[in-house]
Each structure stands twice: as structure tokens, then as C-alpha cells.
């Protein structure tokens, strides 16, 4: 007899929460931590960018493997194990290659997110995919927020290595819980996995390719700012561990709030492309404004708006990535989508780190603002294209 869907959803969401807490317990203090170990800004950019580079290489193959064999749970277990190992690698003393290995291992961990999203969607009917992605986006942001809130408190109270130790412990507990997750039963025609010919048709889905490009730009901005150099900007202003924690909360709380209502309220009223485009415009303005901020409290205000703005587009893009894809091909679609946006996780901090080393910390934020404006322009192009298509069908 299968466990109830309700209890399995609750268990799955708990594991999801622990997955993101384990990966994000050290993120706000990571760039200051690397700086304290003597790394230059360009080397910090390489370490930060390795997280996305690994995902760029392996997220799509993992998605195809998951669809090919019709299995999600083994990849979830791999992700929880990688979360713990990545945290432990950071605290090995000596060469900067250990933090690089730790962040690369975190990239492997994040690559298994493909399996998490698809397996959770399988607890719902196919037409509720966007709703399911909205739910899991809230848990994602909540886990990230809890992990990042713990980061400053742990490092200030127990030392610079403490967030990494906590992340390793939480990842280990999450691994044990993941062992008892039950993978939803699939219809007979899906149990043999997806054919390679079907994979080819999945990766040509127009909407999937559109939202993947937008998500690449969104993650460029995200990993230049809050998950990249914004904490370093705060530290340069003299921000304490408590103020870094408040900075994280200022970003993540509105991000979580917007994620809860984007698919349920904003998109139905204003349309997908309008909601996504508005998010990008707000994010671009807030990112550029960081260049002109000289107060930690004003910096927090920019992050309140920026967090809300990114909560408008990131959950919608995630749901749209699999909206037009049949369930047997969703891991392939999600793998492609996440591999493309992983390029933003790599390119954003890598390019910003190079600019920051040559031209100062603010140059990277200017680059992030430019990425946001390009994305907003693409939303306008996609909106007009859809309007033309609808008009031609009606005529």
C-alpha cells in the first residue's frame, strides 16, 4: 500500500527545505570568507562561478538520465550527500583549491534539483504543474532564507567555519529523511523511460527555450548581487554579522512573499510576460542603485525591492519551463532549463569578478543592471510575438 500523497508531500517539502538550508548556510559570508583567506576579487569570482559552471556541464545530462530510466529518487539522495560533502571541503585549510572544490561540489548538489522539481510535480495532476512549481519555489526560498539567516549568526558567534559545519550536519539529516521518500507511481507507458527521439522534440519546445534564456539573465543578476558581491559591499561599509543577517532577511522575505502570490495572483491578472518583465525592470533598477549606496540601511532597502522583484519572475519561469512538456519528458526539459540558467550562475559572478578587480566593486553591479534590462526587452519581444500569434489564430 502506497503512503498517502499528503504525507509524502510534507516529507518531500521537509527534505527540500533541508536541501536548500544545507547549501545556503554559508552563502552570505562566502565572499568575505574567501577574501579573509587571501583570495583576490577575480579568484573569488572563479570560485563563485564554479558553482554555475559545474551545473552547466551536468544538469542537462542528469535530467536526460532521470527521464531515460524513469527514476528521480537516486538523484535526490546524491544531492543530499553532495550538500554535506561540499560544506566539509570548504573548511580544509591551505590552498584556495579546497574552496573551489567545495563550491564545485555544491554545483553537483544543485544539479540534482532537476529531480526534485520533477518528482514533486508528479504528486500533482499535469495541469497543476505551475501551481506545484509555485509551492516548491516557496520552499526553495524559505530554505535559502533560513540558511542565509543562520549564516551571519553562526559565523559571528562560533567562528568563520561554523556555517559550513552546520550545513554538513543538516545535509546529513536530510539524506536520512530522503531515504524514506516514496517515488510516486507512474502510468505503465511512462515506466520504461523516454525515448531519444522524444528527448529531441522536448528540447525544441519554444516556450522552454524562451524562459531558459530569461532565467539565464535572471541568475546572472542574482549571482552578481545577493548570492555574490552584495555581502562584500555590505562588509566594505562596515556591516557586522548581524547586519549581514538583516541584509539577507531584507532580500529573502519579500522574495518568498512574492513567490507565494506570483502564480496565484499577479500572473492571472497581468499576464505572464508583463509580470516577468516588471520583475526584471525593478531588479535592474535596484541592482544599478547599489553603485550609489553609501549606507547599509539604504542597501537593505534596495534588497527589499530586489527580492520582491526576483520573486515575480523566477517562480513563473520555473513553472513555464515544463508547462508545454508531457510528464515523461519533464526532467529533460527541466535539465535543459536549469543547465541554461546555470550558465548565468557562472557567467554573472565570473564577469563581475573580472570587472570588479579592474574597475572596482560597483562595476559588477552596473553589469547586473544591464542584464536585467536586456531580459525586460526580451519579455516585450515575447509578448508581442504571442499577441501576433493569437491574432493570426483568431483571424
Amino acid at each position: 500500500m502506497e503512503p498517502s500523497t499528503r504525507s509524502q508531500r510534507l516529507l518531500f517539502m521537509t527534505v527540500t527545505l533541508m536541501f536548500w538550508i544545507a547549501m545556503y548556510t554559508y552563502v552570505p559570508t562566502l565572499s568575505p570568507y574567501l577574501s579573509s583567506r587571501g583570495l583576490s576579487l577575480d579568484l573569488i569570482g572563479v570560485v563563485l562561478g564554479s558553482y554555475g559552471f559545474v551545473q552547466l556541464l551536468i544538469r542537462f545530462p542528469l535530467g536526460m538520465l532521470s527521464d531515460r530510466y524513469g527514476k528521480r529518487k537516486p538523484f535526490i539522495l546524491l544531492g543530499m550527500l553532495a550538500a554535506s560533502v561540499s560544506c566539509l571541503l570548504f573548511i580544509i585549510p591551505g590552498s584556495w583549491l579546497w574552496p573551489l572544490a567545495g563550491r564545485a561540489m555544491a554545483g553537483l548538489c544543485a544539479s540534482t534539483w532537476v529531480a526534485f522539481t520533477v518528482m514533486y510535480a508528479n504528486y500533482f495532476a499535469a495541469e497543476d504543474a505551475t501551481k506545484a512549481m509555485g509551492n516548491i519555489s516557496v520552499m526553495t526560498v524559505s530554505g535559502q532564507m533560513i540558511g542565509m539567516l543562520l549564516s551571519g549568526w553562526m559565523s559571528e558567534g562560533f567562528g568563520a567555519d561554523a556555517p559550513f559545519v552546520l550545513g554538513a550536519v543538516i545535509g546529513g539529516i536530510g539524506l536520512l529523511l530522503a531515504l524514506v521518500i516514496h517515488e510516486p507511481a507512474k502510468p505503465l507507458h511512462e515506466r520504461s523511460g523516454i525515448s531519444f527521439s522524444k528527448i529531441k522534440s522536448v528540447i525544441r519546445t519554444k516556450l522552454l527555450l524562451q524562459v531558459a534564456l530569461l532565467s539565464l539573465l535572471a541568475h546572472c543578476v542574482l549571482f552578481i548581487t545577493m548570492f555574490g558581491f552584495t555581502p562584500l559591499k555590505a562588509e566594505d561599509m562596515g556591516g557586522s554579522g548581524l547586519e549581514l543577517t538583516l541584509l539577507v532577511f531584507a532580500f529573502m522575505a519579500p522574495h518568498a512573499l512574492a513567490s507565494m502570490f506570483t502564480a496565484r495572483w499577479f500572473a492571472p491578472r497581468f499576464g505572464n510576460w508583463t509580470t516577468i518583465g516588471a520583475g526584471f525592470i525593478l531588479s535592474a533598477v535596484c541592482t544599478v542603485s547599489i553603485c550609489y549606496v553609501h549606507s547599509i540601511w539604504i542597501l537593505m532597502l534596495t534588497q527589499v525591492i530586489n527580492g520582491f522583484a526576483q520573486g515575480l519572475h523566477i517562480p513563473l519561469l520555473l513553472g513555464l519551463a515544463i508547462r508545454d512538456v508531457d510528464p515523461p519528458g519533464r526532467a529533460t526539459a527541466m535539465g535543459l532549463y536549469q543547465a541554461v540558467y546555470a550558465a548565468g550562475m557562472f557567467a554573472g559572478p565570473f564577469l563581475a569578478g573580472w570587472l570588479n578587480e579592474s574597475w572596482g566593486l560597483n562595476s559588477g553591479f552596473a553589469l547586473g543592471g544591464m542584464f536585467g534590462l536586456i531580459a525586460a526587452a526580451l519579455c516585450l519581444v515575447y509578448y508581442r510575438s504571442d499577441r501576433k500569434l493569437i491574432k493570426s489564430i483568431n483571424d
Side-chain angles (χ1 to χ4, degrees), residues 166-337:
L166 179 64
V169 171
I170 292 173
I173 296 170
L175 175 61
L176 295 177
L177 289 176
L179 289 170
V180 294
I181 286 176
H182 178 79
E183 187 155 0
K186 293 176 281 294
L188 286 173
H189 70 278
E190 292 182 25
R191 292 181 188 176
S192 60
I194 189 173
S195 67
F196 285 111
S197 60
K198 180 64 176 175
I199 287 173
K200 289 175 65 177
S201 68
V202 166
I203 63 178
R204 293 173 180 167
T205 305
K206 178 183 176 183
L207 182 61
L208 168 62
L209 297 176
Q210 288 176 331
V211 298
L213 177 57
L214 289 174
S215 196
L216 183 156
L217 294 166
H219 284 80
C220 277
V221 177
L222 186 59
F223 279 76
I224 286 172
T225 54
M226 182 50 68
F227 297 163
F229 294 99
T230 301
L232 199 56
K233 173 88 173 183
E235 189 183 60
D236 284 352
M237 292 178 181
S240 64
L242 175 61
E243 286 170 333
L244 277 176
T245 300
L246 292 174
L247 179 69
V248 169
F249 186 77
F251 178 87
M252 298 302 291
H255 190 25
L257 186 65
S259 296
M260 290 175 64
F261 294 105
T262 293
R264 290 179 172 84
W265 197 86
F266 291 110
R269 283 164 175 76
F270 303 108
N272 289 328
W273 294 129
T274 301
T275 303
I276 294 168
F280 275 117
I281 291 171
L282 280 174
S283 182
V285 170
C286 289
T287 301
V288 172
S289 70
I290 295 173
C291 301
Y292 304 99
V293 167
H294 303 288
S295 161
I296 188 73
W297 301 106
I298 301 299
L299 181 63
M300 287 182 193
L301 178 60
T302 68
Q303 295 315 292
V304 169
I305 302 170
N306 202 9
F308 183 84
Q310 298 204 26
L312 288 178
H313 56 250
I314 288 179
L316 270 185
L317 294 172
L318 184 65
L320 291 172
I322 58 172
R323 192 191 70 181
D324 293 351
V325 179
D326 294 332
R330 282 182 173 174
T332 297
M334 192 60 72
L336 175 62
Y337 170 77

Side-chain angles (χ1 to χ4, degrees), residues 105-156:
M105 182 63 72
L108 170 62
C109 172
S111 296
T112 65
W113 182 236
V114 173
F116 277 83
T117 51
V118 175
M119 186 165 164
Y120 185 68
N122 286 342
Y123 289 118
F124 294 79
E127 61 270 17
D128 291 329
T130 303
K131 176 185 175 182
M133 292 304 97
N135 291 344
I136 205 167
S137 290
V138 172
M139 297 309 294
T140 298
V141 176
S142 298
Q144 291 171 347
M145 180 170 64
I146 292 169
M148 293 171 77
L149 288 173
L150 289 170
S151 181
W153 172 69
M154 289 293 294
S155 62
E156 189 154 290

Side-chain angles (χ1 to χ4, degrees), residues 362-384:
N362 288 334
S363 59
F365 298 123
L367 176 68
M370 183 185 73
F371 286 141
L373 291 176
I374 291 171
L378 284 173
C379 288
L380 180 60
V381 171
Y382 296 157
Y383 170 78
R384 288 179 172 174

